[in-house]
mmCIF file of all heavy atoms in Angstrom:
data_model
loop_
_atom_site.group_PDB
_atom_site.id
_atom_site.type_symbol
_atom_site.label_atom_id
_atom_site.label_comp_id
_atom_site.label_asym_id
_atom_site.label_seq_id
_atom_site.Cartn_x
_atom_site.Cartn_y
_atom_site.Cartn_z
ATOM 1 N N ASN A 256 -15.718 -11.132 -6.300
ATOM 2 C CA ASN A 256 -14.872 -12.270 -6.135
ATOM 3 C C ASN A 256 -13.526 -12.077 -5.638
ATOM 4 O O ASN A 256 -12.625 -12.808 -5.796
ATOM 5 C CB ASN A 256 -14.766 -13.061 -7.555
ATOM 6 C CG ASN A 256 -16.137 -13.625 -8.023
ATOM 7 O OD1 ASN A 256 -16.915 -13.919 -7.276
ATOM 8 N ND2 ASN A 256 -16.233 -13.593 -9.367
ATOM 9 N N GLY A 257 -13.356 -10.934 -5.033
ATOM 10 C CA GLY A 257 -11.914 -10.534 -4.597
ATOM 11 C C GLY A 257 -11.869 -10.104 -3.243
ATOM 12 O O GLY A 257 -10.711 -9.713 -2.764
ATOM 13 N N GLY A 258 -12.838 -9.919 -2.446
ATOM 14 C CA GLY A 258 -12.897 -9.425 -1.163
ATOM 15 C C GLY A 258 -11.810 -9.953 -0.187
ATOM 16 O O GLY A 258 -11.042 -9.217 0.362
ATOM 17 N N GLY A 259 -11.895 -11.249 0.079
ATOM 18 C CA GLY A 259 -10.994 -11.826 1.017
ATOM 19 C C GLY A 259 -9.991 -12.701 0.428
ATOM 20 O O GLY A 259 -9.196 -13.369 1.189
ATOM 21 N N GLU A 260 -9.876 -12.803 -0.938
ATOM 22 C CA GLU A 260 -8.965 -13.617 -1.641
ATOM 23 C C GLU A 260 -7.540 -12.933 -1.615
ATOM 24 O O GLU A 260 -7.333 -11.826 -1.621
ATOM 25 C CB GLU A 260 -9.421 -13.944 -3.027
ATOM 26 C CG GLU A 260 -10.671 -14.707 -3.116
ATOM 27 C CD GLU A 260 -11.135 -14.894 -4.575
ATOM 28 O OE1 GLU A 260 -10.239 -14.755 -5.448
ATOM 29 O OE2 GLU A 260 -12.218 -15.384 -4.864
ATOM 30 N N THR A 261 -6.565 -13.874 -1.846
ATOM 31 C CA THR A 261 -5.128 -13.417 -2.085
ATOM 32 C C THR A 261 -4.948 -13.648 -3.594
ATOM 33 O O THR A 261 -5.278 -14.755 -4.208
ATOM 34 C CB THR A 261 -4.209 -14.426 -1.355
ATOM 35 O OG1 THR A 261 -4.325 -14.179 0.097
ATOM 36 C CG2 THR A 261 -2.707 -14.068 -1.689
ATOM 37 N N TYR A 262 -4.417 -12.662 -4.275
ATOM 38 C CA TYR A 262 -4.235 -12.724 -5.658
ATOM 39 C C TYR A 262 -3.233 -13.914 -6.001
ATOM 40 O O TYR A 262 -2.209 -14.097 -5.421
ATOM 41 C CB TYR A 262 -3.727 -11.458 -6.312
ATOM 42 C CG TYR A 262 -3.686 -11.608 -7.797
ATOM 43 C CD1 TYR A 262 -4.865 -11.371 -8.544
ATOM 44 C CD2 TYR A 262 -2.470 -11.800 -8.526
ATOM 45 C CE1 TYR A 262 -4.833 -11.411 -9.862
ATOM 46 C CE2 TYR A 262 -2.573 -11.816 -9.922
ATOM 47 C CZ TYR A 262 -3.659 -11.773 -10.564
ATOM 48 O OH TYR A 262 -3.669 -11.749 -11.922
ATOM 49 N N ILE A 267 -0.583 -10.928 -1.171
ATOM 50 C CA ILE A 267 -1.406 -9.778 -0.807
ATOM 51 C C ILE A 267 -2.759 -9.965 -1.355
ATOM 52 O O ILE A 267 -3.057 -10.756 -2.228
ATOM 53 C CB ILE A 267 -0.845 -8.487 -1.354
ATOM 54 C CG1 ILE A 267 -0.703 -8.590 -2.943
ATOM 55 C CG2 ILE A 267 0.578 -8.302 -0.921
ATOM 56 C CD1 ILE A 267 -0.220 -7.268 -3.601
ATOM 57 N N SER A 268 -3.695 -9.271 -0.714
ATOM 58 C CA SER A 268 -5.134 -9.413 -1.034
ATOM 59 C C SER A 268 -5.451 -8.800 -2.409
ATOM 60 O O SER A 268 -4.720 -7.997 -2.949
ATOM 61 C CB SER A 268 -5.996 -8.763 0.024
ATOM 62 O OG SER A 268 -5.861 -7.349 -0.028
ATOM 63 N N VAL A 269 -6.502 -9.339 -3.051
ATOM 64 C CA VAL A 269 -6.904 -8.747 -4.338
ATOM 65 C C VAL A 269 -7.135 -7.234 -4.297
ATOM 66 O O VAL A 269 -6.741 -6.565 -5.260
ATOM 67 C CB VAL A 269 -8.182 -9.559 -4.867
ATOM 68 C CG1 VAL A 269 -8.828 -8.888 -6.154
ATOM 69 C CG2 VAL A 269 -7.813 -10.980 -5.171
ATOM 70 N N PRO A 270 -7.853 -6.652 -3.311
ATOM 71 C CA PRO A 270 -8.061 -5.274 -3.315
ATOM 72 C C PRO A 270 -6.745 -4.412 -3.371
ATOM 73 O O PRO A 270 -6.635 -3.388 -4.007
ATOM 74 C CB PRO A 270 -8.857 -4.946 -2.081
ATOM 75 C CG PRO A 270 -9.654 -6.206 -1.755
ATOM 76 C CD PRO A 270 -8.666 -7.294 -2.231
#
Side-chain angles (χ1 to χ4, degrees):
N256 297 327
E260 296 182 11
T261 298
Y262 188 78
I267 61 176
S268 68
V269 169

